[in-house]
Amino acid sequence: MSTVPIASDRVAAPALARRRSSAIGAQGKWPVLILFLPPALLLFTVFVFLPMGEAAWYSLYNWNGYSLPTQWVGLKNFELIFKNAAFRTALVNNGLIIVISICIQVPLAMWLATMVTKPIRGAVAFRLIFFLPYILADVAAGLIWRFVYDGQFGLVGSIWHAFGVDAPFWLADKNTAMAAVLGVIVWKYFGFHMMLFIAGLQAIDREVLEAAEIDGATGWQKFRLVTLPMLGSTVRLSLFFAVVGSLQLFDMIMPLTGAGPLNATQTMVTFLYTFGVMRMQVGFGSAVGVVLFVICVTLAFSYRRIFMRND
Amino acid sequence: MRYVHLTRRAILALGASLLVMGASSAFADSTIKWLHLETNPARLAAMQDVAKAYETAHPGVKVELQFLENEAFKAKLPTLLQSDDPPSLFYTWGGGVLKEQSQTGKIRALDAALDANNGEWRNELSQGAISAMTFDGKVWAAPFKSGVVSFWYNKELFKKAGVDGTAIHTWTDFTGAVQKLKDAGVTPLACGGGDKWPIHFYWSYLSMREAGQAGFDAAKAGQNGGFTAEPFIKAGQLLADLGKMNPCQDGWQGATWPETVPVFDDGRAAMLLGFENMATPTSQASNATDGKGLAQDNIGRFPFPTIEGGAGTITEDFGGINGWVVTAAAPPETEDFVKFLTNAANESKFVALGDLPVIKGADGAITDPTLKDVANQMAKATWHQNYVDQDLGPNVGRVVNDMSVAIFSGEVSPQDGSQQIEDAHSM
């Protein structure tokens, strides 16, 4: 009585388990899929895929946004974009922002991160101070710096006037405006990169550094041969954010310079706004959006594939 | 079958509920949604007064004021008009933007309302103002104010430089005055290059003075090479030459209009090419850094000078004309409200605050001497050109603004600038 069921159980068990596991696989997945996929799929379709498709469609028309697009112009909008001097300026500026991020912002952030993770008094306070600009809204930062740079009533004006000379108007000069904007970008975002590096630094095993110390490594050697290689993935992530941030930059530029003077401080998104939205050129603006999308996707995916493969 | 049956029942139910709704709406409130961009508290208060007065006189009608900031208004309006909840009434500068809107079927022509009672409403308004709002033979907005752009100058600074403002009639007189002011260490002009459109005032006036009305209309119609015709290149050249004299305040290329007006009002620059109301005490007080501004007897005015050999005359004006547009979805009472808003009694409230009226009989309310002076010039006008950046539509208009600043700052040659405007215009 007792052996038979046990025996049959034993015989049946593996087959049953196999069947059950596959049954759980299918039956267990479907409710989850049915419950959780549609909302996300719907949202993604309505707010991401459809607009993207629509933008691609509109980009082939000369259209002012009223009723339906009817005037088919083929690839004319794209031709106009690449002929537009302001768009080339925007591309160069986006490149500049990336270069400045790599050459100044990230090294600065890393240096400060190594400083404020040292057990010095006040280090935590400095972390907070350096992080403050990042917390500020982009628009507010733009307005503040517009005032700071003002040569009449602003901080720059007061400093120059204190020495009895006429102050420069950096934001109003096409040769200096972009440099002034880059200064604000570094000021605004280095704190964010610093926080990334602080987290990265804290993840480094103290013992490795101690071992290096015992081996007689100098401070610079410890940084170059131990800290930096172990921060590799953080550096790559930080640069990734810098690249993406440069492509998104808009809300700080508008109050700061309005993308002027003479389009000197255009970025790709401000270009889209001033030439697409403000001029009611929805077709042209959509074409800019498509170009921006292609650039973003290409950059993001190739960066991840090439540099962040192992992270 | 069952499905059909159900839908039929549904339709019946829907029909019944619509009937009920229709019956009740005759008694229910209809709401006029009035979209404006007024930031001046005194004017906003006047608007609220008019709305309240109308509500009191017409029980069951509610007037709801909705606000959008200027740039946001321009960017958002097309979307709003095509949404389920469009405003009933919104602000317009006329010109190409209004024309584009008139072709969408989203706004209502006002002819029926204007012509009711033997054209009672139409006869109250100035013919020039109505024609500025007319496209394809229909009137698309109720005009309510107009204006002229002209030069305002600081008499004290002019005296210091030995310049007589009343003797400036031609462009040569004007550039001579600019040079004298510079020699005396005075900044001649307050320029708003950051907003760009303040510089398009110069380009537009110079083009008008060179081309004259016939030439300007021909360019708009695309004849004789459009905006690349000789007069427009010449106008660009004069603008570039003026720019070479470096006549503006430091940092003018970044200056927005609200930063530019105080440059004149504080006495930091001698001249401002600006709107009709720049010399009123209200405008001076609200724009000057010290909250007072220039004394009115210290401010002089002259119309934009003519150019020797140009086809334009001194009686040809450039300036704004504003109106109210009724949307297709607006409640039927909206036209009546607009008529109420723009009648002589209500218009006078805004005239008292500095508007120049387009309605007959409201100019008696002008008390400010400088505004009266401007109104006199307008009364003698033989041609009134709307702001070119409005007139040519949002796209070409912005190209005109860009090119005006680019030519003025020497960034783009007059030929290239004209070409770019024409390229955008002929697209």
mmCIF file of all heavy atoms in Angstrom, chain A residues 62 64-67 76 80 146 152-153 166 169 172 174 261-263 275 277-281, chain B residues 71 78 82 100-101 104 250-251 253-254 256 259 268 289 395 398-399 402 406 409 411 427:
data_model
loop_
_atom_site.group_PDB
_atom_site.id
_atom_site.type_symbol
_atom_site.label_atom_id
_atom_site.label_comp_id
_atom_site.label_asym_id
_atom_site.label_seq_id
_atom_site.Cartn_x
_atom_site.Cartn_y
_atom_site.Cartn_z
ATOM 1 N N ASN A 62 6.296 70.207 -46.208
ATOM 2 C CA ASN A 62 6.366 71.600 -45.792
ATOM 3 C C ASN A 62 5.027 71.885 -45.130
ATOM 4 O O ASN A 62 4.006 71.968 -45.800
ATOM 5 C CB ASN A 62 6.578 72.511 -47.008
ATOM 6 C CG ASN A 62 6.627 73.971 -46.622
ATOM 7 O OD1 ASN A 62 6.831 74.296 -45.453
ATOM 8 N ND2 ASN A 62 6.421 74.860 -47.579
ATOM 9 N N ASN A 64 2.777 73.836 -41.713
ATOM 10 C CA ASN A 64 2.809 74.831 -40.645
ATOM 11 C C ASN A 64 2.088 74.379 -39.381
ATOM 12 O O ASN A 64 1.930 75.148 -38.449
ATOM 13 C CB ASN A 64 2.238 76.172 -41.138
ATOM 14 C CG ASN A 64 0.777 76.067 -41.515
ATOM 15 O OD1 ASN A 64 0.157 75.016 -41.318
ATOM 16 N ND2 ASN A 64 0.223 77.126 -42.052
ATOM 17 N N GLY A 65 1.636 73.132 -39.348
ATOM 18 C CA GLY A 65 1.041 72.620 -38.114
ATOM 19 C C GLY A 65 -0.471 72.655 -38.096
ATOM 20 O O GLY A 65 -1.088 72.103 -37.190
ATOM 21 N N TYR A 66 -1.091 73.333 -39.080
ATOM 22 C CA TYR A 66 -2.547 73.380 -39.116
ATOM 23 C C TYR A 66 -3.091 72.269 -40.016
ATOM 24 O O TYR A 66 -2.493 71.945 -41.039
ATOM 25 C CB TYR A 66 -3.030 74.727 -39.650
ATOM 26 C CG TYR A 66 -2.865 75.852 -38.661
ATOM 27 C CD1 TYR A 66 -1.922 76.837 -38.851
ATOM 28 C CD2 TYR A 66 -3.658 75.906 -37.524
ATOM 29 C CE1 TYR A 66 -1.775 77.865 -37.937
ATOM 30 C CE2 TYR A 66 -3.521 76.931 -36.611
ATOM 31 C CZ TYR A 66 -2.583 77.907 -36.821
ATOM 32 O OH TYR A 66 -2.443 78.926 -35.922
ATOM 33 N N SER A 67 -4.237 71.728 -39.652
ATOM 34 C CA SER A 67 -4.905 70.615 -40.349
ATOM 35 C C SER A 67 -3.906 69.503 -40.696
ATOM 36 O O SER A 67 -3.087 69.155 -39.877
ATOM 37 C CB SER A 67 -5.681 71.114 -41.571
ATOM 38 O OG SER A 67 -4.822 71.731 -42.502
ATOM 39 N N LYS A 76 13.737 67.651 -49.041
ATOM 40 C CA LYS A 76 14.136 69.063 -49.077
ATOM 41 C C LYS A 76 14.465 69.608 -47.685
ATOM 42 O O LYS A 76 15.431 70.345 -47.506
ATOM 43 C CB LYS A 76 12.992 69.865 -49.699
ATOM 44 C CG LYS A 76 13.203 71.356 -49.776
ATOM 45 C CD LYS A 76 13.492 71.805 -51.196
ATOM 46 C CE LYS A 76 13.832 73.268 -51.279
ATOM 47 N NZ LYS A 76 12.662 74.122 -51.047
ATOM 48 N N LEU A 80 17.819 71.436 -46.452
ATOM 49 C CA LEU A 80 17.851 72.776 -45.854
ATOM 50 C C LEU A 80 18.590 72.761 -44.521
ATOM 51 O O LEU A 80 19.313 73.698 -44.196
ATOM 52 C CB LEU A 80 16.425 73.299 -45.647
ATOM 53 C CG LEU A 80 15.678 73.728 -46.908
ATOM 54 C CD1 LEU A 80 14.232 74.066 -46.582
ATOM 55 C CD2 LEU A 80 16.368 74.915 -47.558
ATOM 56 N N ARG A 146 22.873 84.947 -16.431
ATOM 57 C CA ARG A 146 22.648 86.082 -17.329
ATOM 58 C C ARG A 146 22.907 87.381 -16.560
ATOM 59 O O ARG A 146 23.489 88.318 -17.068
ATOM 60 C CB ARG A 146 21.216 86.067 -17.868
ATOM 61 C CG ARG A 146 20.978 87.159 -18.874
ATOM 62 C CD ARG A 146 19.598 87.150 -19.460
ATOM 63 N NE ARG A 146 19.426 88.345 -20.255
ATOM 64 C CZ ARG A 146 19.759 88.454 -21.534
ATOM 65 N NH1 ARG A 146 20.233 87.414 -22.174
ATOM 66 N NH2 ARG A 146 19.604 89.572 -22.180
ATOM 67 N N GLN A 152 26.496 95.767 -17.301
ATOM 68 C CA GLN A 152 25.983 97.031 -16.801
ATOM 69 C C GLN A 152 25.661 96.949 -15.312
ATOM 70 O O GLN A 152 26.217 97.674 -14.506
ATOM 71 C CB GLN A 152 24.722 97.432 -17.582
ATOM 72 C CG GLN A 152 24.149 98.776 -17.197
ATOM 73 C CD GLN A 152 25.016 99.923 -17.677
ATOM 74 O OE1 GLN A 152 25.644 99.847 -18.728
ATOM 75 N NE2 GLN A 152 25.071 100.994 -16.900
ATOM 76 N N PHE A 153 24.764 96.005 -14.965
ATOM 77 C CA PHE A 153 24.324 95.902 -13.570
ATOM 78 C C PHE A 153 24.815 94.629 -12.888
ATOM 79 O O PHE A 153 24.613 94.447 -11.705
ATOM 80 C CB PHE A 153 22.796 95.926 -13.505
ATOM 81 C CG PHE A 153 22.196 97.188 -14.072
ATOM 82 C CD1 PHE A 153 21.514 97.174 -15.270
ATOM 83 C CD2 PHE A 153 22.339 98.384 -13.389
ATOM 84 C CE1 PHE A 153 20.964 98.329 -15.792
ATOM 85 C CE2 PHE A 153 21.783 99.548 -13.905
ATOM 86 C CZ PHE A 153 21.104 99.526 -15.105
ATOM 87 N N ASP A 166 35.389 99.893 -18.476
ATOM 88 C CA ASP A 166 34.129 99.404 -19.027
ATOM 89 C C ASP A 166 34.131 97.887 -19.058
ATOM 90 O O ASP A 166 35.102 97.268 -19.493
ATOM 91 C CB ASP A 166 33.923 99.948 -20.448
ATOM 92 C CG ASP A 166 33.397 101.379 -20.400
ATOM 93 O OD1 ASP A 166 32.873 101.768 -19.335
ATOM 94 O OD2 ASP A 166 33.523 102.086 -21.410
ATOM 95 N N PHE A 169 30.735 92.566 -22.388
ATOM 96 C CA PHE A 169 29.439 91.877 -22.425
ATOM 97 C C PHE A 169 29.655 90.537 -23.126
ATOM 98 O O PHE A 169 29.454 90.418 -24.319
ATOM 99 C CB PHE A 169 28.404 92.720 -23.178
ATOM 100 C CG PHE A 169 27.915 93.899 -22.413
ATOM 101 C CD1 PHE A 169 28.682 95.055 -22.314
ATOM 102 C CD2 PHE A 169 26.682 93.866 -21.777
ATOM 103 C CE1 PHE A 169 28.233 96.146 -21.593
ATOM 104 C CE2 PHE A 169 26.220 94.963 -21.056
ATOM 105 C CZ PHE A 169 26.999 96.105 -20.974
ATOM 106 N N ALA A 172 26.901 88.928 -25.136
ATOM 107 C CA ALA A 172 26.406 89.674 -26.291
ATOM 108 C C ALA A 172 27.408 89.660 -27.435
ATOM 109 O O ALA A 172 27.160 90.228 -28.484
ATOM 110 C CB ALA A 172 26.104 91.112 -25.887
ATOM 111 N N LYS A 174 29.509 87.444 -30.136
ATOM 112 C CA LYS A 174 29.425 86.086 -30.684
ATOM 113 C C LYS A 174 30.730 85.306 -30.514
ATOM 114 O O LYS A 174 30.733 84.082 -30.571
ATOM 115 C CB LYS A 174 29.010 86.125 -32.149
ATOM 116 C CG LYS A 174 30.060 86.648 -33.110
ATOM 117 C CD LYS A 174 29.532 86.568 -34.538
ATOM 118 C CE LYS A 174 30.410 87.304 -35.511
ATOM 119 N NZ LYS A 174 31.704 86.707 -35.792
ATOM 120 N N PRO A 261 24.147 85.469 -29.369
ATOM 121 C CA PRO A 261 23.845 86.390 -30.457
ATOM 122 C C PRO A 261 24.237 85.802 -31.807
ATOM 123 O O PRO A 261 25.248 85.099 -31.884
ATOM 124 C CB PRO A 261 24.718 87.598 -30.109
ATOM 125 C CG PRO A 261 25.834 87.038 -29.301
ATOM 126 C CD PRO A 261 25.294 85.856 -28.570
ATOM 127 N N LEU A 262 23.447 86.091 -32.818
ATOM 128 C CA LEU A 262 23.698 85.597 -34.170
ATOM 129 C C LEU A 262 23.879 84.077 -34.184
ATOM 130 O O LEU A 262 24.755 83.561 -34.848
ATOM 131 C CB LEU A 262 24.930 86.280 -34.772
ATOM 132 C CG LEU A 262 24.822 87.794 -34.950
ATOM 133 C CD1 LEU A 262 26.179 88.417 -35.154
ATOM 134 C CD2 LEU A 262 23.896 88.128 -36.112
ATOM 135 N N ASN A 263 23.047 83.384 -33.420
ATOM 136 C CA ASN A 263 23.046 81.916 -33.371
ATOM 137 C C ASN A 263 24.328 81.319 -32.819
ATOM 138 O O ASN A 263 24.581 80.134 -32.998
ATOM 139 C CB ASN A 263 22.789 81.322 -34.763
ATOM 140 C CG ASN A 263 21.393 81.634 -35.248
ATOM 141 O OD1 ASN A 263 20.442 81.583 -34.472
ATOM 142 N ND2 ASN A 263 21.262 81.962 -36.510
ATOM 143 N N PHE A 275 14.036 77.184 -34.891
ATOM 144 C CA PHE A 275 13.755 77.117 -36.322
ATOM 145 C C PHE A 275 12.529 76.262 -36.644
ATOM 146 O O PHE A 275 11.953 76.371 -37.709
ATOM 147 C CB PHE A 275 14.977 76.594 -37.088
ATOM 148 C CG PHE A 275 16.047 77.629 -37.232
ATOM 149 C CD1 PHE A 275 16.925 77.879 -36.190
ATOM 150 C CD2 PHE A 275 16.149 78.381 -38.380
ATOM 151 C CE1 PHE A 275 17.900 78.849 -36.300
ATOM 152 C CE2 PHE A 275 17.122 79.357 -38.504
ATOM 153 C CZ PHE A 275 18.002 79.590 -37.464
ATOM 154 N N VAL A 277 9.799 75.131 -33.956
ATOM 155 C CA VAL A 277 8.611 75.500 -33.181
ATOM 156 C C VAL A 277 8.263 76.979 -33.334
ATOM 157 O O VAL A 277 7.140 77.330 -33.669
ATOM 158 C CB VAL A 277 8.815 75.149 -31.687
ATOM 159 C CG1 VAL A 277 7.587 75.526 -30.890
ATOM 160 C CG2 VAL A 277 9.122 73.674 -31.529
ATOM 161 N N MET A 278 9.257 77.866 -33.099
ATOM 162 C CA MET A 278 8.963 79.298 -33.105
ATOM 163 C C MET A 278 8.540 79.791 -34.485
ATOM 164 O O MET A 278 7.862 80.788 -34.615
ATOM 165 C CB MET A 278 10.188 80.104 -32.648
ATOM 166 C CG MET A 278 10.560 79.927 -31.197
ATOM 167 S SD MET A 278 9.153 79.992 -30.096
ATOM 168 C CE MET A 278 8.654 81.698 -30.285
ATOM 169 N N ARG A 279 8.976 79.120 -35.535
ATOM 170 C CA ARG A 279 8.623 79.585 -36.879
ATOM 171 C C ARG A 279 7.448 78.836 -37.453
ATOM 172 O O ARG A 279 7.105 78.998 -38.612
ATOM 173 C CB ARG A 279 9.832 79.426 -37.813
ATOM 174 C CG ARG A 279 10.871 80.426 -37.457
ATOM 175 C CD ARG A 279 12.230 80.114 -38.030
ATOM 176 N NE ARG A 279 13.193 80.855 -37.238
ATOM 177 C CZ ARG A 279 14.148 81.594 -37.731
ATOM 178 N NH1 ARG A 279 14.338 81.651 -39.009
ATOM 179 N NH2 ARG A 279 14.951 82.256 -36.929
ATOM 180 N N MET A 280 6.849 77.961 -36.649
ATOM 181 C CA MET A 280 5.711 77.164 -37.103
ATOM 182 C C MET A 280 6.070 76.352 -38.347
ATOM 183 O O MET A 280 5.254 76.155 -39.220
ATOM 184 C CB MET A 280 4.504 78.065 -37.400
ATOM 185 C CG MET A 280 3.885 78.673 -36.168
ATOM 186 S SD MET A 280 3.557 77.460 -34.884
ATOM 187 C CE MET A 280 2.554 76.305 -35.742
ATOM 188 N N GLN A 281 7.324 75.914 -38.416
ATOM 189 C CA GLN A 281 7.749 75.059 -39.515
ATOM 190 C C GLN A 281 7.781 73.634 -38.976
ATOM 191 O O GLN A 281 8.844 73.109 -38.655
ATOM 192 C CB GLN A 281 9.145 75.464 -39.990
ATOM 193 C CG GLN A 281 9.220 76.846 -40.582
ATOM 194 C CD GLN A 281 8.552 76.887 -41.941
ATOM 195 O OE1 GLN A 281 7.385 77.211 -42.075
ATOM 196 N NE2 GLN A 281 9.286 76.511 -42.962
ATOM 197 N N GLU B 71 5.696 84.767 -25.731
ATOM 198 C CA GLU B 71 6.331 83.751 -26.571
ATOM 199 C C GLU B 71 5.602 82.415 -26.460
ATOM 200 O O GLU B 71 5.436 81.693 -27.437
ATOM 201 C CB GLU B 71 7.811 83.572 -26.182
ATOM 202 C CG GLU B 71 8.678 84.783 -26.480
ATOM 203 C CD GLU B 71 8.792 85.086 -27.970
ATOM 204 O OE1 GLU B 71 9.020 84.154 -28.760
ATOM 205 O OE2 GLU B 71 8.612 86.253 -28.343
ATOM 206 N N PRO B 78 -1.324 77.373 -32.052
ATOM 207 C CA PRO B 78 -1.777 76.404 -33.059
ATOM 208 C C PRO B 78 -2.299 75.109 -32.439
ATOM 209 O O PRO B 78 -3.316 74.569 -32.878
ATOM 210 C CB PRO B 78 -0.514 76.142 -33.879
ATOM 211 C CG PRO B 78 0.317 77.341 -33.695
ATOM 212 C CD PRO B 78 0.044 77.826 -32.300
ATOM 213 N N GLN B 82 -6.427 73.657 -32.251
ATOM 214 C CA GLN B 82 -6.836 72.359 -32.774
ATOM 215 C C GLN B 82 -7.238 71.394 -31.669
ATOM 216 O O GLN B 82 -7.569 70.243 -31.923
ATOM 217 C CB GLN B 82 -5.699 71.764 -33.604
ATOM 218 C CG GLN B 82 -5.402 72.625 -34.817
ATOM 219 C CD GLN B 82 -4.279 72.082 -35.675
ATOM 220 O OE1 GLN B 82 -4.497 71.257 -36.532
ATOM 221 N NE2 GLN B 82 -3.075 72.551 -35.420
ATOM 222 N N GLU B 100 -2.809 82.850 -42.099
ATOM 223 C CA GLU B 100 -2.669 81.389 -42.018
ATOM 224 C C GLU B 100 -3.795 80.792 -41.187
ATOM 225 O O GLU B 100 -4.380 79.770 -41.537
ATOM 226 C CB GLU B 100 -1.319 81.010 -41.396
ATOM 227 C CG GLU B 100 -0.200 80.954 -42.409
ATOM 228 C CD GLU B 100 1.137 80.542 -41.787
ATOM 229 O OE1 GLU B 100 1.135 80.008 -40.660
ATOM 230 O OE2 GLU B 100 2.168 80.774 -42.434
ATOM 231 N N GLN B 101 -4.105 81.463 -40.056
ATOM 232 C CA GLN B 101 -5.171 80.964 -39.186
ATOM 233 C C GLN B 101 -6.519 80.983 -39.903
ATOM 234 O O GLN B 101 -7.338 80.083 -39.719
ATOM 235 C CB GLN B 101 -5.241 81.804 -37.902
ATOM 236 C CG GLN B 101 -4.091 81.522 -36.944
ATOM 237 C CD GLN B 101 -3.892 82.633 -35.931
ATOM 238 O OE1 GLN B 101 -4.509 83.699 -36.012
ATOM 239 N NE2 GLN B 101 -3.029 82.396 -34.958
ATOM 240 N N THR B 104 -7.523 77.890 -41.815
ATOM 241 C CA THR B 104 -7.606 76.593 -41.146
ATOM 242 C C THR B 104 -9.032 76.196 -40.790
ATOM 243 O O THR B 104 -9.281 75.066 -40.405
ATOM 244 C CB THR B 104 -6.820 76.618 -39.823
ATOM 245 O OG1 THR B 104 -7.430 77.604 -38.970
ATOM 246 C CG2 THR B 104 -5.376 76.981 -40.051
ATOM 247 N N ASP B 250 26.860 99.364 -25.337
ATOM 248 C CA ASP B 250 27.664 98.147 -25.210
ATOM 249 C C ASP B 250 26.749 96.962 -24.919
ATOM 250 O O ASP B 250 25.810 97.070 -24.141
ATOM 251 C CB ASP B 250 28.671 98.286 -24.059
ATOM 252 C CG ASP B 250 29.839 99.191 -24.445
ATOM 253 O OD1 ASP B 250 30.075 99.350 -25.661
ATOM 254 O OD2 ASP B 250 30.489 99.730 -23.536
ATOM 255 N N GLY B 251 27.043 95.824 -25.524
ATOM 256 C CA GLY B 251 26.273 94.623 -25.252
ATOM 257 C C GLY B 251 24.908 94.597 -25.908
ATOM 258 O O GLY B 251 24.058 93.792 -25.535
ATOM 259 N N GLN B 253 23.918 93.418 -28.624
ATOM 260 C CA GLN B 253 23.543 92.185 -29.333
ATOM 261 C C GLN B 253 22.863 91.175 -28.419
ATOM 262 O O GLN B 253 22.199 90.257 -28.884
ATOM 263 C CB GLN B 253 24.777 91.541 -29.965
ATOM 264 C CG GLN B 253 25.233 92.296 -31.179
ATOM 265 C CD GLN B 253 26.138 91.460 -32.049
ATOM 266 O OE1 GLN B 253 25.995 90.258 -32.152
ATOM 267 N NE2 GLN B 253 27.091 92.101 -32.686
ATOM 268 N N GLY B 254 23.054 91.344 -27.102
ATOM 269 C CA GLY B 254 22.413 90.414 -26.183
ATOM 270 C C GLY B 254 21.195 91.014 -25.498
ATOM 271 O O GLY B 254 20.505 90.340 -24.753
ATOM 272 N N THR B 256 17.680 92.246 -24.519
ATOM 273 C CA THR B 256 16.260 92.039 -24.837
ATOM 274 C C THR B 256 15.577 93.407 -24.819
ATOM 275 O O THR B 256 16.163 94.398 -24.376
ATOM 276 C CB THR B 256 15.582 91.145 -23.783
ATOM 277 O OG1 THR B 256 15.661 91.810 -22.518
ATOM 278 C CG2 THR B 256 16.270 89.793 -23.682
ATOM 279 N N GLU B 259 15.400 95.134 -21.553
ATOM 280 C CA GLU B 259 16.697 95.670 -21.126
ATOM 281 C C GLU B 259 17.083 96.893 -21.957
ATOM 282 O O GLU B 259 17.935 97.677 -21.551
ATOM 283 C CB GLU B 259 17.792 94.598 -21.282
ATOM 284 C CG GLU B 259 17.656 93.455 -20.295
ATOM 285 C CD GLU B 259 18.515 92.253 -20.664
ATOM 286 O OE1 GLU B 259 18.989 92.163 -21.814
ATOM 287 O OE2 GLU B 259 18.705 91.389 -19.802
ATOM 288 N N ARG B 268 20.981 106.712 -20.796
ATOM 289 C CA ARG B 268 22.268 106.134 -21.172
ATOM 290 C C ARG B 268 22.470 106.144 -22.685
ATOM 291 O O ARG B 268 23.559 105.886 -23.171
ATOM 292 C CB ARG B 268 22.376 104.700 -20.639
ATOM 293 C CG ARG B 268 22.614 104.640 -19.137
ATOM 294 C CD ARG B 268 22.774 103.218 -18.668
ATOM 295 N NE ARG B 268 21.489 102.593 -18.370
ATOM 296 C CZ ARG B 268 21.197 101.337 -18.669
ATOM 297 N NH1 ARG B 268 22.074 100.577 -19.283
ATOM 298 N NH2 ARG B 268 20.027 100.842 -18.348
ATOM 299 N N THR B 289 15.325 102.490 -14.593
ATOM 300 C CA THR B 289 15.939 101.822 -13.445
ATOM 301 C C THR B 289 15.585 102.521 -12.139
ATOM 302 O O THR B 289 15.411 101.889 -11.112
ATOM 303 C CB THR B 289 17.469 101.789 -13.623
ATOM 304 O OG1 THR B 289 17.753 101.288 -14.935
ATOM 305 C CG2 THR B 289 18.127 100.887 -12.601
ATOM 306 N N ASN B 395 7.438 82.372 -40.263
ATOM 307 C CA ASN B 395 8.733 81.884 -40.733
ATOM 308 C C ASN B 395 9.555 82.997 -41.383
ATOM 309 O O ASN B 395 10.653 83.315 -40.933
ATOM 310 C CB ASN B 395 8.528 80.723 -41.706
ATOM 311 C CG ASN B 395 9.848 80.149 -42.163
ATOM 312 O OD1 ASN B 395 10.800 80.087 -41.383
ATOM 313 N ND2 ASN B 395 9.930 79.775 -43.412
ATOM 314 N N ARG B 398 10.646 85.749 -38.985
ATOM 315 C CA ARG B 398 11.835 85.501 -38.150
ATOM 316 C C ARG B 398 13.115 85.596 -38.970
ATOM 317 O O ARG B 398 14.164 85.977 -38.448
ATOM 318 C CB ARG B 398 11.740 84.132 -37.483
ATOM 319 C CG ARG B 398 10.556 84.043 -36.548
ATOM 320 C CD ARG B 398 10.971 83.756 -35.121
ATOM 321 N NE ARG B 398 9.798 83.919 -34.273
ATOM 322 C CZ ARG B 398 9.841 84.072 -32.960
ATOM 323 N NH1 ARG B 398 10.984 84.086 -32.338
ATOM 324 N NH2 ARG B 398 8.746 84.211 -32.261
ATOM 325 N N VAL B 399 13.028 85.239 -40.243
ATOM 326 C CA VAL B 399 14.213 85.381 -41.097
ATOM 327 C C VAL B 399 14.535 86.873 -41.258
ATOM 328 O O VAL B 399 15.703 87.269 -41.188
ATOM 329 C CB VAL B 399 13.992 84.704 -42.470
ATOM 330 C CG1 VAL B 399 15.196 84.936 -43.371
ATOM 331 C CG2 VAL B 399 13.750 83.218 -42.297
ATOM 332 N N ASP B 402 16.251 87.914 -38.083
ATOM 333 C CA ASP B 402 17.631 87.399 -38.056
ATOM 334 C C ASP B 402 18.533 88.222 -38.963
ATOM 335 O O ASP B 402 19.634 88.620 -38.581
ATOM 336 C CB ASP B 402 17.662 85.948 -38.565
ATOM 337 C CG ASP B 402 17.165 84.960 -37.513
ATOM 338 O OD1 ASP B 402 16.915 85.404 -36.376
ATOM 339 O OD2 ASP B 402 17.023 83.769 -37.835
ATOM 340 N N ALA B 406 21.808 90.548 -38.416
ATOM 341 C CA ALA B 406 23.036 90.085 -39.069
ATOM 342 C C ALA B 406 23.628 91.166 -39.976
ATOM 343 O O ALA B 406 24.839 91.357 -40.010
ATOM 344 C CB ALA B 406 22.762 88.811 -39.861
ATOM 345 N N SER B 409 24.973 94.101 -37.771
ATOM 346 C CA SER B 409 26.221 93.813 -37.059
ATOM 347 C C SER B 409 27.359 93.485 -38.019
ATOM 348 O O SER B 409 28.457 93.177 -37.578
ATOM 349 C CB SER B 409 26.008 92.657 -36.082
ATOM 350 O OG SER B 409 25.629 91.502 -36.801
ATOM 351 N N GLU B 411 27.613 90.943 -39.962
ATOM 352 C CA GLU B 411 27.836 89.498 -40.066
ATOM 353 C C GLU B 411 27.500 88.990 -41.472
ATOM 354 O O GLU B 411 28.131 88.061 -41.969
ATOM 355 C CB GLU B 411 26.965 88.795 -39.016
ATOM 356 C CG GLU B 411 27.173 87.314 -38.884
ATOM 357 C CD GLU B 411 28.511 86.980 -38.234
ATOM 358 O OE1 GLU B 411 29.179 87.886 -37.684
ATOM 359 O OE2 GLU B 411 28.879 85.807 -38.281
ATOM 360 N N MET B 427 9.584 80.333 -50.704
ATOM 361 C CA MET B 427 9.520 78.879 -50.499
ATOM 362 C C MET B 427 8.076 78.369 -50.501
ATOM 363 O O MET B 427 7.195 78.997 -49.980
ATOM 364 C CB MET B 427 10.195 78.506 -49.184
ATOM 365 C CG MET B 427 10.705 77.086 -49.146
ATOM 366 S SD MET B 427 11.729 76.833 -47.679
ATOM 367 C CE MET B 427 10.485 76.428 -46.461
#
